Amino acid sequence: MDASVQSTKWERLIEPGRVHGSLYADSDIFQEELEKIWYRTWVYVGHTSEIPNPKDYVTKSIGPMPILMVRDRKGEVRLLMNRCPHRGNAVCVIEKGNRATFTCPYHSWTFANDGRLMGYAYPDGYETADKSKLGLGTVPRVSIYKGFVFASMAEDGPTLEEHLGGAARAIDQLCENSPEGEVEITAGFLHHRSQANWKFIVENECDGYHPAFVHASIFAVADSGIGNLYGPDSTAVTRDFGNGHTEVDLRPEFRLRDEPLSWFGTTAERLPDYVAKMNAAHRPDKARTVMIDGTPHIMIFPNLFIAEIQLFVIQPIAADETIQHVTALQFKGAPDFNRRMRQQTMGSVGPAGFLLADDTEMYERNQRGLATREPEWLYLERGVHRERRDENGYLVGHSTDEVPSRGIWRHYKKMMEEE
Amino acid sequence: MTADTQLLDEVSQFLYREARFQDTHAYDDWEALWTDDAIYWVPANGENPDPETEMSFIYDNRSRISLRIKQLQTGKRHSQTPPSQLARLVSNIELLGNDGDDVQVAANTLVFETNLRGETLWAMRNEYNLRRIDGDWRMAKKRSCWSTTTSHYSRCPS
């Protein structure tokens, strides 16, 4: 297929105001996404705080592919393919630990935690094998931004900083809320499976149109103050950073409230240790601003969702199957704050969560709905007439507008059209 | 009947009653089974992680149990609209301890659930602290370890 025919295919499926349902359901398209998105662009893998010590490791993934994130003896973070080069077995199936070597259980091939093949059982059976070429596969490019570890399976391409672009501001904003400037991922993950395409989930993360309806049940009984952020009168904005990154910027609402920690549903009086540490860490006016603005609500394409107090990693398994790995964010040096973040996160997310159980119900109904063929399209034009550029040139809209979905699909189309 | 078999019989009847309240969505009746200091815990990673530092599927105190039920009763809890059809079997009921105030009980439960998502078989090992208050048994703590956690609803990437 030549390039012009190829681009016609994506133009046929993705229009500025609507996308074709097959994009969420077709397994050939899913395979093509793996090659052109998941095994090409920068994908979030994990956080350096998950492997604080030499020889620590955790099992992670790039798309459906299992990998190991390890800290080698010298303290360097490495990403290794979890596949024995002999017969393809996983060399490690325990989710985390500390070990200098990985031994494949099938024929006892043993690898150093930098991936080198150290030895195999009954070596006299190999005469010409070149051990230096039989190590664990590695990820061509690894890059770390403020502890967030990203991987790209492409040898060349934009740097991580170029890929993140303006979205890096959100990670900066998140880290500023930590008294020591660092986020930690230490609370363990829930692994939440949905029978839905990964893009329904990515689009939902910055969809400010659904909370009033999907989450009406919890807003009705818990005085969380979240509901008003997404109402018709909200001053919050949706934003498209380009490169598929989107956010709901809630700062305008929090600035109207003008109360530190109101974003977190609490007050400075209730978290005195945290507030004292923040005041010591920043200039007082800066600390106040940071504690009013709070943390971001950003979907970093294609798989890192930072939802104020939670971190989600979205893992595509098949066209109709996705796992969300979710944990509470933790701030270094803020135990009082962290406890509250864990409690709120456990209440909100996972298959029993006040919020995510219903989001997941919606993703799965979306997916099942694709079987109905009339109409074949999904409609994305909400707020087209009121999109505008902000002071940095990014497209923004009302908090309930579909600026994020349109931004995601623009970037998706560009990636899928590239050879 | 010895004291132990009578206790086992009372406890078993209590667990069957809890199961019926759960199967029939009798939320108020189920809520009334909890003590004021109750903890309802569904661990996520292993059977006995520290719930004060690690994520659990559910780690509810009494007020959060109540909030969970209030949410269901709004009629807008989409994941339970329409409600699941449920039938569970409670078995392997065993008295683990009796310190005079609380009785520790283990039981296995198999739950068959049918809803819009399809059909699901859940398996769990439950441990209870039961307390007799004004002549009735109450749940002071329930830890529910789902053996379906890693194979069905959720899975590690490797």
Side-chain angles (χ1 to χ4, degrees):
Chain A
M1 216 182 258
D2 69 40
S4 62
V5 176
Q6 191 77 356
S7 71
T8 307
K9 168 183 163 186
W10 298 108
E11 278 181 355
R12 229 174 30 239
L13 295 172
I14 304 166
E15 297 178 4
R18 62 176 197 166
V19 294
H20 195 264
S22 61
L23 293 160
Y24 300 88
D26 185 304
S27 40
D28 292 337
I29 288 177
F30 180 80
Q31 290 303 320
E32 205 169 333
E33 288 171 350
L34 293 183
E35 298 305 323
K36 293 183 170 175
I37 295 176
W38 293 92
Y39 300 153
R40 185 173 287 179
T41 192
W42 288 102
V43 172
Y44 175 73
V45 171
H47 194 271
T48 53
S49 60
E50 295 179 76
I51 45 170
N53 304 308
K55 298 185 279 184
D56 283 348
Y57 78 91
V58 284
T59 57
K60 292 290 180 185
S61 55
I62 298 176
M65 183 169 69
I67 64 167
L68 299 169
M69 182 171 84
V70 306
R71 197 178 283 278
D72 69 18
R73 277 165 234 252
K74 293 174 187 156
E76 193 179 333
V77 173
R78 289 174 180 271
L79 302 179
L80 306 171
M81 297 295 160
N82 194 359
R83 171 185 170 144
C84 180
H86 177 215
R87 300 288 296 170
N89 238 49
V91 297
C92 180
V93 295
I94 307 297
E95 204 171 347
K96 60 184 173 183
N98 179 282
R99 52 195 305 171
T101 61
F102 297 96
T103 298
C104 177
Y106 196 8
H107 300 97
S108 211
W109 285 34
T110 296
F111 304 87
N113 67 357
D114 59 7
R116 275 178 302 118
L117 174 62
M118 297 172 71
Y120 26 58
Y122 316 146
D124 58 326
Y126 293 108
E127 215 163 50
T128 57
D130 179 356
K131 276 192 191 167
S132 71
K133 290 182 175 152
L134 290 168
L136 297 176
T138 55
V139 174
R141 291 189 299 157
V142 181
S143 190
I144 303 174
Y145 186 79
K146 299 200 170 172
F148 292 79
V149 181
F150 291 81
S152 166
M153 293 296 290
E155 298 281 353
D156 305 303
T159 64
L160 175 62
E161 283 71 15
E162 287 165 345
H163 168 71
L164 291 175
R169 184 226 83 221
I171 296 179
D172 299 342
Q173 182 189 339
L174 174 67
C175 293
E176 279 182 344
N177 277 271
S178 168
E180 297 185 23
E182 288 179 43
V183 166
E184 294 186 313
I185 301 298
T186 51
F189 282 82
L190 305 184
H191 309 288
H192 187 177
R193 180 189 299 270
S194 325
Q195 298 299 328
N197 186 269
W198 63 276
K199 300 186 293 299
F200 274 134
I201 298 173
V202 169
E203 288 179 273
N204 184 68
E205 310 303 24
C206 290
D207 172 60
Y209 196 17
H210 80 278
F213 316 104
V214 175
H215 305 306
S217 62
I218 192 65
F219 296 162
V221 296
D223 183 23
S224 68
I226 300 174
N228 296 334
L229 300 173
Y230 298 100
D233 303 325
S234 172
T235 58
V237 297
T238 45
R239 179 172 289 115
D240 169 16
F241 285 108
N243 291 344
H245 312 312
T246 58
E247 78 168 342
V248 182
D249 186 353
L250 301 167
R251 291 175 297 175
E253 281 289 308
F254 298 140
R255 286 172 186 173
L256 284 176
R257 295 182 188 174
D258 197 33
E259 280 294 330
L261 299 179
S262 172
W263 71 270
F264 191 33
T266 189
T267 61
E269 290 71 35
R270 289 199 186 140
L271 290 170
D273 293 350
Y274 171 76
V275 172
K277 281 187 179 171
M278 288 293 282
N279 283 330
H282 300 285
R283 297 186 322 272
D285 56 326
K286 167 79 174 172
R288 188 166 192 280
T289 305
V290 169
M291 288 189 286
I292 286 170
D293 283 353
T295 56
H297 185 111
I298 185 164
M299 179 64 233
I300 294 178
F301 188 87
N303 71 330
L304 172 62
F305 176 37
I306 298 168
E308 288 94 345
I309 60 168
Q310 295 129 18
L311 178 145
F312 292 76
V313 186
I314 296 165
Q315 184 188 13
I317 302 295
D320 61 353
E321 187 177 354
T322 307
I323 299 176
Q324 295 185 81
H325 307 275
V326 57
T327 188
L329 289 162
Q330 302 279 270
F331 293 150
K332 194 171 185 184
D336 53 343
F337 201 101
N338 288 343
R339 180 170 195 285
R340 201 176 266 260
M341 282 205 281
R342 288 192 303 273
Q343 286 298 330
Q344 287 193 12
T345 297
M346 278 191 271
S348 303
V349 306
F354 291 127
L355 299 171
L356 265 286
D358 292 324
D359 286 312
T360 304
E361 186 69 25
M362 294 302 114
Y363 311 143
E364 297 193 345
R365 291 189 198 180
N366 289 351
Q367 191 73 28
R368 293 196 293 269
L370 299 172
T372 303
R373 283 307 185 87
E374 176 58 38
E376 294 181 13
W377 295 80
L378 291 88
Y379 182 64
L380 294 176
E381 291 199 2
R382 185 175 169 80
V384 164
H385 65 286
R386 52 185 181 183
E387 274 186 358
R388 61 184 197 280
R389 297 272 169 190
D390 69 7
E391 65 278 15
N392 297 310
Y394 300 126
L395 271 181
V396 295
H398 185 264
S399 69
T400 65
D401 286 350
E402 285 161 347
V403 171
S405 272
R406 289 191 290 274
I408 289 163
W409 283 108
R410 254 193 306 277
H411 181 65
Y412 175 95
K413 181 163 172 278
K414 181 165 164 277
M415 291 207 77
M416 297 303 282
E417 281 173 344
E418 280 170 16
E419 277 313 301
Chain B
M1 206 181 245
T2 66
D4 260 11
T5 52
Q6 187 184 337
L7 181 61
L8 183 63
D9 190 51
E10 280 183 37
V11 161
S12 301
Q13 289 300 317
F14 176 84
L15 296 183
Y16 297 151
R17 191 158 74 246
E18 192 216 357
R20 177 165 51 85
F21 291 161
Q22 291 176 298
D23 282 349
T24 57
H25 306 277
Y27 299 124
D28 289 332
D29 294 332
W30 184 72
E31 188 183 355
L33 299 180
W34 293 96
T35 63
D36 290 343
D37 61 347
I39 295 285
Y40 179 26
W41 182 27
V42 181
N45 295 305
E47 294 203 351
N48 215 9
D50 178 359
E52 292 295 335
T53 58
E54 293 184 50
M55 292 284 291
S56 297
F57 285 114
I58 292 174
Y59 186 55
D60 286 1
N61 59 14
R62 186 64 187 76
S63 73
R64 194 168 271 184
I65 292 169
S66 173
L67 184 62
R68 205 172 277 287
I69 287 168
K70 286 197 186 96
Q71 184 187 23
L72 284 161
Q73 290 175 332
T74 61
K76 295 174 183 169
R77 178 63 154 160
H78 303 290
S79 53
Q80 277 301 309
T81 313
S84 300
Q85 295 175 57
L86 298 160
R88 73 194 67 205
L89 301 176
V90 181
S91 181
N92 303 39
I93 301 171
E94 184 183 8
L95 296 174
L96 298 181
N98 183 352
D99 63 13
D101 293 322
D102 287 11
V103 176
Q104 284 78 46
V105 185
N108 285 1
T109 302
L110 270 183
V111 185
F112 193 80
E113 177 180 33
T114 307
N115 58 19
L116 294 182
R117 299 169 56 94
E119 296 176 338
T120 311
L121 185 64
W122 303 89
M124 54 202 72
R125 296 200 311 105
N126 296 324
E127 274 190 33
Y128 296 83
N129 276 18
L130 301 183
R131 189 176 302 157
R132 204 196 295 271
I133 297 175
D134 299 333
D136 289 324
W137 288 101
R138 294 280 180 268
M139 298 186 285
K141 185 172 183 190
K142 177 176 179 179
R143 182 181 64 170
S144 190
C145 297
W146 300 349
S147 37
T148 15
T149 296
T150 50
S151 61
H152 182 89
Y153 215 104
S154 51
R155 185 174 68 184
C156 305
S158 60

